[in-house]
Amino acid sequence: MHDIVFLDRDSLIANIRKPSFEHRWRDYPATNADEVVERLRGATIAITNKVPLRADAIAQLPDLRMIAVAATGTDNVDLAACRERGIVVANIRNYSLVSVPEHCFALLLAVRRNLRAYVADVEDGRWERSTRFCLLDHPIGDLAGSRLGIVGYGALGRRVAQIARAFGMEVAITSRSPVADTDVVQLPLDELLATSDVVSLHLPLTDQTRHMIGARELASMKKSAILINTARGGLVDEAALAQALTDGTIAGAGFDVLSKEPPVPDNPLLQLRLPNFVLTPHVAWASGGAMQTLADMLVDNLEAWVAGKPANVV
């Protein structure tokens, strides 16, 4: 019988079916770092969305045989420690192919069309006091005819490209893996940053990608460019971005992620009160449909591993 523990059940608003194999199930709304070992003691399967499972905790859990990550990103799990112990780590892939790209364009449209500024004007009564039928105090840009640069061309990047073409945008990409698509312009990162009207990030956080967008990269972008990040906060140097937005180095940004979540109060992006910056609390993935798909795939991963045919192994 397997002992399954879900460390942060409240992070997934969905129905989770019972696994088909014999098991005991325990879940907790949330788990602090100092509670991990005690709660996982005796567990053979740990489920985590964002609760970190580091080497020191893993070393104290001799019964642990599988970690099921209820997300795509696995930077919260010490993969090297798991390999050394023979612990299987499986994640969820391609469950949010609708939700994340749609949120990406929600952020983009909000910034490009200055929605925050215009909503604030209406709330302040400025439209009522206008001498003409509309307010035209903030620039509005179109997406059609502009270039979207996608950094990371996996399943999400491809879906974003598909939507972009529907808007009439040209798509340029930079990718570590070879791409056979003929309807995209493939560029090195430096050239993509310098020539794109919008840059959207769609790649994991690793030692190689951490702070890949810093002050130098932001300065190389067009002053009219917008940066969108629905991937991982650590991809961007947040202090450099805050300075770039304040100084007008780039025209705007839309972010759904920060380097530390929940964020610390002194995060420089939290201090911004600019109409050209939109920040949402890591919800791009979280449509109802996407969360239910994730829940179903999570149990699929458990059942596949117990059946001796592990799926989505990291």
Side-chain angles (χ1 to χ4, degrees), residues 222-289:
K222 295 181 177 182
K223 288 181 69 68
S224 58
I226 293 171
L227 178 63
I228 302 294
N229 187 7
T230 55
R232 283 292 183 267
L235 299 173
V236 178
D237 182 330
E238 291 165 339
L241 176 62
Q243 193 65 53
L245 291 171
T246 302
D247 294 346
T249 304
I250 62 173
F255 271 48
D256 184 56
V257 287
L258 292 177
S259 56
K260 182 174 176 54
E261 297 169 346
V264 294
D266 62 351
N267 184 298
L269 296 183
L270 288 182
Q271 313 310 313
L272 295 180
R273 296 294 183 270
L274 300 173
N276 61 340
F277 178 60
V278 177
L279 176 64
T280 53
H282 204 146
V283 294
W285 65 281
S287 72

Side-chain angles (χ1 to χ4, degrees), residues 40-91:
L40 288 182
R41 203 176 301 281
T44 54
I45 300 173
I47 302 175
T48 177
N49 187 332
K50 293 295 180 289
V51 177
L53 291 175
R54 303 306 183 197
D56 57 340
I58 292 169
Q60 300 176 66
L61 300 169
D63 298 312
L64 190 61
R65 296 171 58 195
M66 180 192 188
I67 296 173
V69 181
T72 300
T74 56
D75 45 291
N76 59 320
V77 178
D78 192 318
L79 298 180
C82 291
R83 291 190 191 98
E84 186 175 338
R85 275 274 308 279
I87 297 170
V88 171
V89 180
N91 68 347

Side-chain angles (χ1 to χ4, degrees), residues 110-214:
V111 176
R112 178 57 81 202
R113 303 194 69 83
N114 251 312
L115 294 188
R116 287 195 65 182
Y118 279 114
V119 168
D121 285 348
V122 172
E123 292 175 346
D124 289 343
R126 295 191 67 243
W127 192 14
E128 301 163 43
R129 299 190 297 271
S130 175
T131 58
R132 56 180 182 269
F133 73 96
C134 65
L135 295 177
L136 297 173
D137 294 348
H138 313 287
I140 297 172
D142 297 325
L143 299 185
S146 62
R147 169 177 281 185
L148 171 64
I150 299 174
V151 184
Y153 199 57
L156 286 173
R158 284 181 162 83
R159 176 61 176 157
V160 168
Q162 181 183 4
I163 297 173
R165 283 190 287 269
F167 272 106
M169 303 179 79
E170 178 194 36
V171 178
I173 67 165
T174 182
S175 174
R176 293 173 296 175
S177 304
V179 174
D181 297 21
T182 58
D183 52 357
V184 296
V185 179
Q186 298 186 51
L187 300 172
L189 179 60
D190 286 351
E191 186 176 352
L192 180 137
L193 293 174
T195 61
S196 295
D197 301 292
V198 180
V199 174
S200 189
L201 306 180
H202 298 281
L203 69 171
L205 179 64
T206 65
D207 290 340
Q208 291 71 41
T209 62
R210 188 178 301 277
H211 284 190
M212 66 181 297
I213 305 296

